[in-house]
Amino acid sequence: MNLELCWLLLRRELLVSLRRRSDLANPLFFFLIVCALFPLGLGPSPALLAGMAPGILWIVALLSVLMASDGLFRADFDDGTLEQVLLSPVSLYLTSLLKVLAHWLLSGLPLTLLSPVLALMLHMPPEGIPALLASLGLGTLVLSFIAAIGAALTVGLKRGGVLLSLLVLPLFVPVLIFGSAAVQRAVQGMDSAAPLALLGAMAALFLVVAPLAIAGALRVSHDQ
Amino acid sequence: MWAWFHKWSSPRWFYQLSGRVLPWLAVLSLVSLVVGVIWGLAFVPPDYKQGNSFRIIYIHVPAAAVAMAGYLMMATAGAISLIWRIKLADMVVKCAAPIGAALTFLALVTGAIWGKPTWGTWWVWDARITSVLVLFFLYIGIIALYEAFDNKEAAGRASAILALVGAVNIPIIYWSVEWWYSLHQPASISFTGESSIHPEMLRPLMLTISGFYCFFGWVLLLQVRNEILHRERNTRWVRDLILQR
Amino acid sequence: MFFESFAALLAMDGHGPYVWSAYAITLATLIVLVVQPLAAKRRQLRELRGFLRRTEEQ
């Protein structure tokens, strides 16, 4: 495959996203704020928070990815870039794949890097942090691909938000299960290789399959 | 083979042929449901562990089975619609989703009612119940997506894509939920009595399962036929059909 | 019949309310599933017939 072309497409996506800084920062602040709400709702007891921290961090991370993906294709759709991409000889599969990868680099990855801070604030034992980083790193990649399918299906509709979450959240279930289990097992001193390997397998599967669905969905959204 | 395929995929042919199958399906489903239910309710001896509450099995298991098979059928129709661009197939996707959702809802509700006298609680986060709940969410997503589009042709194709994505995910979801449950297995509640089910209890169950399958087919055909009439309302054959009545 | 009387069938040794409510909900749902498309068809045929009559006259 033409690597130069891939690099060009990836760089374009990164540049365009980097110009809108607030769009990048907002999901991270969302992550921070919602995690801070849990102690207020549950009480400040460190033991209680420590037990729930893996689940809390994972669920909030999942919602942040969902929020961040809502507008993934909207700008391209509104300003006609999507139409140009559809007409261009470059395969839609490749452009969708790189678009999601670029999106993950600027949303899932920073979120993963931020997570240890929140883990400490929620009194999660530090043994869980490597597993948290690994599971969120792989998991947010899978989540980005799944959410991108939903975003591509709803991009042409006036009301996106809630509909997107209805479509996508049920599909997030396995990622949540494997991700939070990896962290929980690490916290309890058990081996978390199995759930991490499963997350890796899912990432590989969606890397290959999801761009097909995204490309198809973008065509439908454009045709309507 | 191809000629046959195209003939069947023409809405007009489908309308005429399905009209002939329809009464048979209706009779079959009603007879097997009525016989199976009366047999199961009144003539089968009760389960020695659960007592009479086990009689809910005759609607719970068929509803769950057909809800799952219905999703696979819907996803297959979705694939056909996307690969061959057959309009009839995405009508099937659109019409199957609400029926499947209703059956999944029934499976959940009857399961909850069954759970109260046997487990002492309405709801358990058990692997099977949780995966049926996720299946219900998947159906809801497809219905919501279809309703959100104004252009119904685009809606059909979008729902077909979502149904396919869901079908790829279902094995993963199912397996992950099993795995999740095995991690947190509570000691008190485990109810795996399938192998010990008495053959006499099984016979009415077979009847009601086939009854639910026929029922699904019957209602699906009714819905698809309405959809055909609606989408083809400006064609010659629909016009003739209505005028000759 | 397994039960000795009709009352015993209704009571089901105390499990009656559960069993019968499950069957009632199922019956109601199935009836809605059948009646809804039949009613929709009737409505649609009426509308189409009216529409055709209006266009034929012109």
Side-chain angles (χ1 to χ4, degrees), chain B residues 140-158:
Chain B
I140 296 295
I142 287 174
I143 298 171
L145 183 65
Y146 187 91
E147 294 302 325
F149 278 84
D150 290 327
N151 174 346
K152 289 309 171 196
E153 205 158 306
R157 282 170 62 205

Side-chain angles (χ1 to χ4, degrees), chain A residues 202-214:
Chain A
M202 282 190 73
L205 174 71
F206 278 93
L207 201 73
V208 177
V209 177
L212 278 176
I214 296 170

Side-chain angles (χ1 to χ4, degrees), chain A residues 8 22 26 60 77 81 83 98 100 112 163 174 179 201 206 209 212:
Chain A
L8 273 176
S22 70
N26 287 352
V60 180
F77 185 81
T81 313
E83 194 157 6
L98 291 169
V100 180
T112 309
L163 179 66
F206 278 93
V209 177
L212 278 176

Side-chain angles (χ1 to χ4, degrees), chain B residues 6-245:
Chain B
H6 279 285
K7 221 177 206 178
W8 263 92
S9 62
S10 129
R12 181 184 176 181
W13 258 87
F14 186 83
Y15 192 88
Q16 288 168 347
L17 283 171
S18 62
R20 265 178 250 159
V21 184
L22 209 54
W24 293 101
L25 270 178
V27 169
L28 252 175
S29 72
L30 287 180
V31 167
S32 46
L33 278 179
V34 168
V35 174
V37 162
I38 291 177
W39 189 355
L41 276 177
F43 293 93
V44 168
D47 187 79
Y48 74 100
K49 257 198 220 151
Q50 304 182 26
N52 283 309
S53 68
F54 99 98
R55 295 178 198 278
I56 295 175
I57 199 173
Y58 298 116
I59 46 177
H60 173 73
V61 167
V66 177
M68 270 180 231
Y71 196 93
L72 287 186
M73 196 279 303
M74 187 176 74
T76 314
I80 293 174
S81 135
L82 291 174
I83 297 170
W84 288 292
R85 293 283 178 107
I86 288 173
K87 273 187 272 170
L88 183 64
D90 66 51
M91 294 187 211
V92 171
V93 175
K94 183 251 165 169
C95 297
I99 311 172
L103 290 177
T104 320
F105 169 78
L106 268 187
L108 288 170
V109 170
T110 54
I113 296 175
W114 192 2
K116 186 63 184 163
T118 35
W119 299 333
T121 164
W122 296 105
W123 187 266
V124 183
W125 287 99
D126 133 274
R128 217 172 301 168
I129 298 175
T130 311
S131 21
V132 174
L133 185 66
V134 177
L135 183 69
F136 182 62
F137 296 158
L138 288 175
Y139 272 124
I140 296 295
I142 287 174
I143 298 171
L145 183 65
Y146 187 91
E147 294 302 325
F149 278 84
D150 290 327
N151 174 346
K152 289 309 171 196
E153 205 158 306
R157 282 170 62 205
S159 318
I161 292 176
L162 187 64
L164 267 183
V165 172
V168 170
N169 269 277
I170 278 184
I172 307 177
I173 293 173
Y174 188 78
W175 196 77
S176 70
V177 170
E178 288 275 322
W179 186 81
W180 161 80
Y181 186 63
S182 69
L183 284 187
H184 307 270
Q185 189 116 43
S188 56
I189 301 157
S190 66
F191 220 107
T192 44
E194 286 111 315
S195 51
S196 66
I197 192 166
H198 198 272
E200 200 176 330
M201 295 171 177
L202 217 54
R203 266 174 239 133
L205 184 61
M206 292 295 134
L207 258 183
T208 52
I209 288 179
S210 50
F212 265 78
Y213 271 107
C214 294
F215 182 85
F216 183 85
W218 176 30
V219 175
L220 182 64
L221 283 188
L222 285 177
Q223 296 272 19
V224 171
R225 283 161 61 85
N226 279 348
E227 190 69 21
I228 290 175
L229 279 186
H230 183 68
R231 290 205 197 174
E232 306 261 305
R233 62 188 176 281
N234 292 324
T235 59
R236 177 99 221 154
W237 73 269
V238 171
R239 192 196 181 88
D240 292 346
L241 184 88
I242 287 167
L243 290 178
Q244 71 183 236
R245 282 248 191 148

